[in-house]
Amino acid sequence: NGFKCHCMSESHQRQLLLASENPQQFMDYFSEEFRNDFLELLRRRFGTKRVHNNIVYNEYISHREHIHMNATQWETLTDFTKWLGREGLCKVDETPKGWYIQYIDRDPETIRRQQEQERKKKQDLDDEEKTAKFIEQQVRRGLEGKELEQPVYTELNRENEEEKVTFNLNKGPSTSIAASSKTSSVLGTNALKMVEGAVKRKESAHSSGQSKEKKKKSALDEIMELEEEKKRTARRDYWLQPEIVVKIVTKKLGEKYHKKKAVVKEVIDKYTAVVKVIDSGDKLKLDQTHLETVIPAPGKKVMVLNGGYRGNEGILESINEKRFSATIIIDSGPLKGRRVEDIQYEDISKLA
């Protein structure tokens, strides 16, 4: 034991001598190790979520092999947090409760998926604008030519206040007006015009009402169809579902798991999944950006992960390789038996 302690003491002294000769080199090395391990823990454990820096650091130093802050170029955790923000490695912000950090994922696959999501959001907004314009056009078309004839009123003038005016309105298609022989010709003419105008307005209103009802029904049907189409194409930026088969696409876990298929066992906060690798049985916790859907052979069961049919199970009928889409038959829920065409690969996945 004495010899062993003596050898260890000499080894320690040699390390101190080497460190004293070039202290900056060792500090840079420790700082780089601390930064890499800290960011790797932040990315793997919290992803791109906003989290308090103390929570990450406490979890980091709980591992005995990790380098502590006092061996690096940063004196405090606040200095290190500010440095991460200046270097563009994380988004940082100060609150009354302390500093919060958010990892910025610069993985090319993640960036590609984010751009794809932005493109789909823009497409959905364009569809909403088209629907609004279509509704506006239908309303304008419905209003055109529907102006009813305004009634024209004339005064009833009588030359003698003691004379009576009588009207005889028959129920038949023609309307006759009987006036007193003593009624002036002006009174009879005005009254006849008023009654004839009323009949014409009634007939015009009846015929225009029928045509308007037809146009309204037609426009309503088209609007309902558009709303159903909009609902069918409604999308979310999360798609994970339990018991679906997915493929691991990230290379950060090494070649052991790259391109391996796994089954989603649990979904956490919509964007994170606990998966079980089919080959090895290993369990991993991965963000949805590190996974992609799996398309089975025709005749196999799939689950719809996005759009208006989200959550429904179906049978894969056929695949269109040129359009990267498929046709499925809904096999569950009130829509069972419905045939859905041109559904994108990323919106369905094989069921375990």
Side-chain angles (χ1 to χ4, degrees), residues 41-67:
L41 174 64
L42 176 63
R43 182 196 63 79
R44 187 179 65 253
R45 177 68 176 82
F46 300 98
T48 56
K49 295 180 182 178
R50 181 173 174 268
V51 63
H52 200 285
N53 59 354
N54 270 328
I55 295 177
V56 185
Y57 183 70
N58 289 334
E59 186 167 341
Y60 171 81
I61 61 176
S62 63
H63 298 273
R64 297 176 57 185
E65 296 83 4
H66 285 167
I67 298 172

Side-chain angles (χ1 to χ4, degrees), residues 142-241:
L143 293 176
E144 288 178 357
K146 297 306 175 185
E147 297 290 340
L148 295 178
E149 180 183 350
Q150 296 296 329
V152 178
Y153 300 99
T154 59
E155 295 183 359
L156 291 176
N157 299 322
R158 46 170 93 170
E159 297 176 355
N160 190 350
E161 295 294 335
E162 295 181 355
E163 294 179 352
K164 295 182 180 180
V165 179
T166 59
F167 297 93
N168 292 327
L169 302 179
N170 295 330
K171 295 183 179 179
S174 62
T175 303
S176 64
I177 300 177
S180 173
S181 59
K182 297 182 180 180
T183 306
S184 65
S185 60
V186 176
L187 175 61
T189 305
N190 291 338
L192 180 59
K193 288 182 179 179
M194 184 177 68
V195 175
E196 288 178 350
V199 173
K200 289 181 180 179
R201 287 197 300 272
K202 184 177 180 181
E203 292 176 352
S204 175
H206 181 69
S207 60
S208 64
Q210 289 181 344
S211 61
K212 185 176 181 180
E213 183 181 357
K214 290 181 180 179
K215 286 191 175 182
K216 278 186 176 179
K217 184 178 292 185
S218 177
L220 183 61
D221 289 342
E222 294 180 6
I223 292 172
M224 289 179 63
E225 290 177 1
L226 280 178
E227 287 298 324
E228 184 178 354
E229 179 68 16
K230 180 181 175 182
K231 181 180 178 182
R232 188 179 70 83
T233 57
R235 306 187 61 79
R236 301 289 185 270
D237 59 351
Y238 54 88
W239 53 268
L240 291 172
Q241 293 284 353

Side-chain angles (χ1 to χ4, degrees), residues 86-195:
R86 289 194 301 270
E87 294 295 322
L89 299 173
C90 295
K91 295 179 182 178
V92 300
D93 61 293
E94 186 179 12
T95 68
K97 295 183 180 180
W99 285 87
Y100 281 80
I101 58 177
Q102 185 177 0
Y103 180 70
I104 300 176
D105 195 345
R106 302 187 184 279
D107 183 57
E109 183 67 19
T110 303
I111 295 175
R112 185 191 68 80
R113 288 179 178 270
Q114 290 175 350
Q115 292 175 348
E116 182 70 16
Q117 291 173 0
E118 290 296 329
R119 184 185 66 81
K120 290 178 180 177
K121 287 181 181 179
K122 185 176 182 300
Q123 184 178 358
D124 292 341
L125 291 176
D126 293 341
D127 292 340
E128 291 180 0
E129 292 178 0
K130 291 179 181 178
T131 303
K133 288 182 179 179
F134 176 79
I135 294 174
E136 184 180 353
Q137 290 176 358
Q138 292 297 325
V139 172
R140 191 183 299 114
R141 285 169 52 189
L143 293 176
E144 288 178 357
K146 297 306 175 185
E147 297 290 340
L148 295 178
E149 180 183 350
Q150 296 296 329
V152 178
Y153 300 99
T154 59
E155 295 183 359
L156 291 176
N157 299 322
R158 46 170 93 170
E159 297 176 355
N160 190 350
E161 295 294 335
E162 295 181 355
E163 294 179 352
K164 295 182 180 180
V165 179
T166 59
F167 297 93
N168 292 327
L169 302 179
N170 295 330
K171 295 183 179 179
S174 62
T175 303
S176 64
I177 300 177
S180 173
S181 59
K182 297 182 180 180
T183 306
S184 65
S185 60
V186 176
L187 175 61
T189 305
N190 291 338
L192 180 59
K193 288 182 179 179
M194 184 177 68
V195 175

